[in-house]
Amino acid sequence: MKKLTITLAFLFSITFFAYPQKSPLQGVRGQGITVEPTFWWTNMHNPALQLMIYGKNIAKWDVNIDVPGISVVEKKLTDNPNYIFLYLNIAKDAKAGYFNIELKNGRNKQTIQYELKNRVPNSANRESFSEKDNVYLIMPDRFANGNQMNDSIKGYFQGANRSDLAFRQGGDIEGMIQKIPYLADLGITALWTTPLLDNNDTQYSYHHYGATDYYKIDPRLGTNDDYLRLSRTAQQHGIKLIIDVVPNHCGGGHWWVKDLPAKDWFNVWDTYTSSNYRMTAWTDPHASEADRYRLTHGWFAPNMPDLNLSNPLLFDYLKQAYIFWIERAEIAGMRVDTYPYNDLKTASAFIQAIRDEYPRMNVVGECWVKTPAEIAYYQSGNNNKDGFDSRLQSVMDFVLKDKLQEVFNEKEGWETGTAKFYSHFAQDFVYANTNLVMNFVDNHDIDRLSIAVKNDVKKYKMALAMLTTVRGYPQIYYGTEIMLEGIPGDYQGHRFTFPGGWADDKRDAFTADGRTADENEIFDYLKKLLNYRKDNPVLQNGKMTQFIPENGVYVFFRNNDEKTVMVVCNNNDEKAVLDTKRFHERLRDYEIGVDIISRTPHELKDGVEIEGKTVLVLELGHWL
Ligand code: CA
């Protein structure tokens, strides 16, 4: 990666080529100039390009470009004289290569060489993730350490310290690249990594949700080229890459903090003010403006400055930063962090602005709300009374996550046990598109399923069977395939390292030999479920039909023109024999149901026998 930095000490006209830059802050101290984006492309859908030009008193300098196809539209200044926001128009006939940006201040002249690259063919129409996919979520610092040389980097506050999970562990992009075949074997088709951007904060840097440089992959995770290599390796194994987009906050260590581009770049308060974290303020028809203001303008965390995306210069800056990575690393989809903590109209416009460049790109939003009605509000196409459209094609079912963690611990009752699944899916009328609801049993912010079911293998497998067969598409959190342990109610406790990801680990749970018997049972089970789902559209977008639970057994079907799958969930401790008469409307054309895991056929007309605490997934068919 190269960043443009030129020295202003020269009092004569001189041309500087891009060279690796040590840090943007040194640009100020060294009286240099920083330009972002670090480069751009020709033939983007949007011909406008904002260049943030940063240097001591740069605002006074005149800017001129005399190149065919490239013109200066506007030089926008802020209350900080160290910034120019230069808006260019890149016409369709603009050629790829370097061009000169001439800066002039009296007799002083400077030239910046800026690069436009050719786009990769068809990059605007890359296939995105959808309900067809099985998504895997990785927190890269915790997954696998493929390169011990980058565990600690000079100039970076934190290096690896494996004695404490609050510190970095050393996992990286190389580690993910090495495990791509493992993921493909498991049945994964899309990979969502938590952010990879530079996060040089003094503490808690490992999660990378606080960017300190939007144009640089954190060197402790890898290089900018490594990100592309990850993407291409994944593509070769049929896996699409999803980027984690964080519009709400940056890192406290971002160089902006010491020289704000504008007074309103961040949401500023006289004293530290946190968000009220009450996202109900958006959907509540009785909400006060004060509560909404506190929700969006209050900070998510003290060490992460709250970005004011309503500042149009920041809006364009951040929009371009994520377009940069989508183009640069051949990204197929987006996950948006803490969506409702932004002003909603601005967040929606932000997502749409990126999708203008990538119209087929699906976006899944983290809208961590407590009811199906509220989740549905955030799915694009929902018939919201206020006309709001989030531009998020996909939303995360946080409510189902709760049910998947609690139902198998409960006795069956009118409103307990599997009745919770039944009533949950009965509320699906609120969604614009249930196929694009993302399901999960755990993620990096919540207790692991292993905690919720106290490592009960039967209950654990029941949750995985439900996760992969109900409407929507599944997201698997790294380690869930081996029932990775955790600590309840503790961020670090949700983020243990994957056994075998480190050279000095006692065992390698990426291999069957390195897994315990329980871990292999769960891994093999999930692998079969995921691969079946991957190969069978009936579980991707087949119609779902559910029956009211009776005697502690919940039954639902998925069907399309080719296939019908019957899922039987026995939440009793004891074996049950399911009388199938009640399911005639779905069973009448079939004689048997073949267990997709064991390949055992079950005769349907005599009733289906099912062990206690078991989910049977049956593909319906006929005796030959
Ligand atoms: Ca490393």
Side-chain angles (χ1 to χ4, degrees):
M1 160 47 81
K2 302 209 168 164
K3 190 163 255 180
L4 291 163
T5 303
I6 63 173
T7 302
L8 274 175
F10 298 88
L11 296 176
F12 49 86
S13 179
I14 189 164
T15 298
F16 292 87
F17 287 87
Y19 67 87
Q21 184 216 5
K22 288 169 191 161
S23 90
L25 201 58
Q26 287 188 331
V28 184
R29 288 174 178 156
Q31 306 264 296
I33 295 178
T34 297
V35 180
E36 289 177 345
T38 47
F39 62 82
W40 202 245
W41 292 267
T42 57
N43 282 308
M44 297 299 279
H45 172 77
N46 183 355
L49 171 62
Q50 176 208 70
L51 295 182
M52 189 193 78
I53 306 177
Y54 177 58
K56 189 76 178 164
N57 288 318
I58 195 82
K60 286 192 285 198
W61 290 60
D62 292 325
V63 185
N64 185 49
I65 295 172
D66 186 17
V67 182
I70 301 170
S71 52
V72 175
V73 176
E74 196 175 2
K75 175 185 159 189
K76 291 191 179 180
L77 304 180
T78 69
D79 47 66
N80 185 337
N82 296 335
Y83 289 86
I84 291 173
F85 290 87
L86 190 69
Y87 280 79
L88 306 183
N89 185 78
I90 315 289
K92 289 292 170 204
D93 59 352
K95 291 197 169 52
Y98 284 90
F99 69 88
N100 289 341
I101 301 171
E102 311 284 353
L103 292 168
K104 193 167 168 239
N105 182 20
R107 290 188 301 121
N108 300 334
K109 290 180 182 172
Q110 300 286 328
T111 301
I112 298 169
Q113 290 222 318
Y114 194 79
E115 187 185 13
L116 293 176
K117 291 180 187 286
N118 285 314
R119 301 181 75 177
V120 172
N122 205 37
S123 67
N125 292 302
R126 204 173 289 123
E127 186 186 348
S128 194
F129 74 92
S130 70
E131 75 272 12
K132 296 175 185 168
D133 285 303
N134 298 324
V135 179
Y136 195 81
L137 163 61
I138 290 178
M139 185 163 255
D141 181 59
R142 302 300 156 98
F143 184 61
N145 188 0
N147 177 7
Q148 294 179 45
M149 301 297 288
N150 65 13
D151 289 2
S152 298
I153 297 276
K154 197 178 172 203
Y156 279 75
F157 290 111
Q158 291 196 297
N161 176 356
R162 293 206 69 203
S163 68
D164 188 337
L165 284 166
F167 293 97
R168 305 184 70 87
Q169 304 298 302
D172 48 37
I173 295 175
E174 184 60 41
M176 293 192 284
I177 290 172
Q178 291 170 8
K179 301 305 177 193
I180 289 291
Y182 163 86
L183 296 180
D185 177 58
L186 180 60
I188 298 303
T189 60
L191 171 58
W192 154 28
T193 76
T194 55
L196 305 169
L197 293 180
D198 195 76
N199 195 159
N200 193 12
D201 282 319
T202 52
Q203 54 182 343
Y204 294 112
S205 65
Y206 75 85
H207 58 66
H208 291 266
Y209 279 96
T212 51
D213 186 337
Y214 283 95
Y215 286 92
K216 186 177 173 192
I217 296 302
D218 195 299
R220 293 163 295 183
L221 297 178
T223 65
N224 290 12
D225 283 338
D226 286 342
Y227 195 14
L228 177 61
R229 202 158 52 86
L230 170 67
S231 182
R232 289 192 172 164
T233 307
Q235 288 171 42
Q236 285 160 9
H237 288 81
I239 296 174
K240 308 173 185 84
L241 214 54
I242 299 173
I243 190 172
D244 204 324
V245 172
V246 189
N248 186 66
H249 42 259
C250 67
H254 195 290
W255 53 274
W256 285 336
V257 173
K258 290 184 177 162
D259 199 13
L260 274 182
K263 286 195 178 79
D264 66 347
W265 203 252
F266 298 151
N267 291 315
V268 182
W269 298 78
D270 289 338
T271 56
Y272 177 76
T273 305
S274 71
S275 173
N276 53 22
Y277 306 103
R278 292 278 193 175
M279 288 162 276
T280 39
W282 283 125
T283 42
D284 173 9
H286 318 292
S288 65
E289 285 303 317
D291 286 346
R292 284 188 173 177
Y293 190 85
R294 178 78 186 266
L295 169 65
T296 57
H297 288 64
W299 287 26
F300 191 79
N303 60 341
M304 296 197 292
D306 213 67
L307 296 169
N308 175 19
L309 206 58
S310 300
N311 177 316
L313 298 178
L314 174 60
F315 182 98
D316 286 341
Y317 177 93
L318 215 57
K319 170 191 77 178
Q320 290 183 173
Y322 285 107
I323 288 173
F324 178 89
W325 289 111
I326 292 167
E327 193 69 24
R328 173 89 168 81
E330 301 179 2
I331 299 296
M334 302 199 306
R335 178 265 185 185
V336 183
D337 186 57
T338 58
Y339 184 99
Y341 287 85
N342 298 278
D343 174 81
L344 282 200
K345 282 188 178 155
T346 312
S348 167
F350 181 73
I351 299 306
Q352 187 53 44
I354 297 175
R355 292 189 76 248
D356 284 345
E357 288 292 343
Y358 306 96
R360 293 181 67 191
M361 176 148 312
N362 281 331
V363 187
V364 58
E366 183 200 30
C367 307
W368 192 340
V369 288
K370 306 291 185 187
T371 63
E374 288 168 274
I375 298 173
Y377 178 84
Y378 290 100
Q379 189 175 39
S380 184
N382 199 48
N383 187 25
N384 293 326
K385 269 188 181 174
D386 59 4
F388 172 69
D389 187 328
S390 68
R391 308 292 177 184
L392 302 169
Q393 292 67 47
S394 179
V395 284
M396 300 175 175
D397 197 342
F398 278 92
V399 182
L400 180 60
K401 182 272 296 176
D402 290 343
K403 315 278 180 234
L404 288 166
Q405 289 208 354
E406 66 200 22
V407 160
F408 306 114
N409 294 324
E410 294 178 353
K411 290 285 174 208
E412 289 289 301
W414 184 256
E415 291 180 330
T416 57
T418 57
K420 287 185 171 177
F421 290 139
Y422 173 77
S423 60
H424 181 71
F425 296 119
Q427 294 171 72
D428 273 355
F429 64 87
V430 295
Y431 287 110
N433 181 354
T434 50
N435 287 335
L436 284 178
V437 172
M438 178 190 263
N439 304 315
F440 54 102
V441 295
D442 46 24
N443 70 23
H444 57 300
D445 289 329
I446 52 188
D447 285 0
R448 281 191 175 271
L449 178 63
S450 58
I451 300 288
V453 300
K454 296 190 168 59
N455 292 85
D456 182 310
V457 172
K458 283 190 164 185
K459 292 176 182 174
Y460 199 92
K461 287 168 69 179
M462 291 178 86
L464 295 181
M466 292 295 294
L467 171 69
T468 48
T469 55
V470 299
R471 94 295 185 251
Y473 63 100
Q475 168 246 292
I476 312 293
Y477 181 41
Y478 82 90
T480 297
E481 70 271 33
I482 55 162
M483 199 165 69
L484 189 61
E485 55 191 350
I487 300 169
D490 176 83
Y491 271 133
Q492 314 334 319
H494 313 325
R495 302 164 181 178
F496 284 12
T497 56
F498 197 108
W502 278 253
D504 57 354
D505 282 348
K506 290 190 180 68
R507 64 194 184 99
D508 182 3
F510 287 107
T511 65
D513 288 347
R515 292 190 281 264
T516 66
D518 281 355
E519 287 171 351
N520 269 323
E521 183 176 345
I522 286 163
F523 180 90
D524 293 344
Y525 187 67
L526 182 61
K527 178 179 165 178
K528 282 182 179 170
L529 286 164
L530 289 174
N531 279 286
Y532 183 85
R533 189 185 184 281
K534 176 182 160 186
D535 295 337
N536 288 279
V538 65
L539 288 190
Q540 299 164 7
N541 47 30
K543 175 182 162 50
M544 182 170 172
T545 305
Q546 64 171 347
F547 290 78
I548 299 165
E550 282 186 4
N551 305 316
V553 182
Y554 170 60
V555 175
F556 68 91
F557 293 81
R558 303 290 304 276
N559 76 286
N560 62 11
D561 289 345
E562 286 85 42
K563 279 187 180 173
T564 298
V565 168
M566 177 184 190
V567 180
V568 185
C569 176
N570 179 10
N571 197 30
N572 302 296
D573 290 329
E574 308 79 29
K575 183 188 288 188
V577 179
L578 187 68
D579 184 344
T580 52
K581 282 193 214 61
R582 188 157 77 98
F583 314 118
H584 177 73
E585 66 191 73
R586 291 260 74 93
L587 291 182
R588 61 188 163 205
D589 297 330
Y590 298 102
E591 295 168 326
I592 56 167
V594 178
D595 184 335
I596 68 158
I597 304 296
S598 67
R599 305 307 299 169
T600 310
H602 292 255
E603 186 83 48
L604 293 172
K605 72 175 188 313
D606 298 334
V608 173
E609 196 175 284
I610 175 168
E611 295 297 321
K613 289 291 176 191
T614 301
V615 175
L616 267 186
V617 183
L618 304 173
E619 182 180 315
L620 304 189
H622 304 270
W623 292 113
L624 286 176

